[in-house]
Amino acid sequence: MKRIYIKIAGIVNLFGAILHTIGGQIELVNPLLDSNISMQQKGELTGAWHIVTILLFLTSFLILRMGFKKVANQSKEQLKSIAILYLLSAIPFIITSYWYGVFALQWVLLMPIGILLLVGLQKPFDKQHA
């Protein structure tokens, strides 16, 4: 079964996107909107939150498309970029968890997706092996 790691990464990523959209709205965005911070801060933080939502769904689409369809080798570079982005994005959440003494769960999803993508890229990926 070719590209199983890529497929799993895409499914986990899509799960994370859905969780971010629903759970994040309830647990983080709604309390933020009910807080006493300025409207400017509320607007910018909410906008940034939804940028992440868009990125999660877009990367889910790209990863799943590349995992399930025969695509050109240049897709390896796209997946590698996503993997590196996810690994690097996990770092601030690990630091935040340590610094504030809380468990910022986001890295638990981001890091495995990045690792799964990198492992999946080690397998034959071109059209001849798809």
Side-chain angles (χ1 to χ4, degrees):
M1 191 156 191
K2 304 285 190 222
R3 299 189 209 154
I4 188 70
Y5 294 103
I6 305 295
K7 293 173 185 175
I8 293 170
I11 291 166
V12 171
N13 198 61
L14 181 59
F15 170 76
I18 293 167
L19 184 64
H20 175 86
T21 302
I22 297 167
Q25 183 72 38
I26 294 167
E27 293 292 322
L28 296 171
V29 176
N30 289 347
L32 168 77
L33 295 175
D34 291 337
S35 73
N36 292 328
I37 63 174
S38 73
M39 288 304 285
Q40 180 73 31
Q41 292 168 318
K42 287 179 184 182
E44 290 181 19
L45 291 170
T46 302
W49 181 267
H50 291 298
I51 287 171
V52 173
T53 302
I54 291 165
L55 289 172
L56 287 169
F57 278 106
L58 177 62
T59 55
S60 295
F61 170 76
L62 293 172
I63 295 166
L64 288 168
R65 185 186 68 179
M66 292 178 214
F68 283 98
K69 291 191 174 191
K70 294 181 180 183
V71 292
N73 260 348
Q74 71 187 45
S75 297
K76 288 178 87 169
E77 291 304 314
Q78 289 177 335
L79 287 177
K80 185 176 179 183
S81 295
I82 293 170
I84 292 168
L85 175 67
Y86 274 52
L87 291 172
L88 292 175
S89 295
I91 294 170
F93 291 108
I94 293 169
I95 293 169
T96 300
S97 293
Y98 175 76
W99 187 266
Y100 291 104
V102 297
F103 184 60
L105 181 65
Q106 291 82 347
W107 72 270
V108 174
L109 279 172
L110 295 171
M111 188 170 284
I113 292 167
I115 291 169
L116 284 165
L117 289 173
L118 290 177
V119 169
L121 288 170
Q122 301 306 311
K123 307 294 180 197
F125 197 78
D126 59 45
K127 288 183 180 182
Q128 296 171 354
H129 295 98

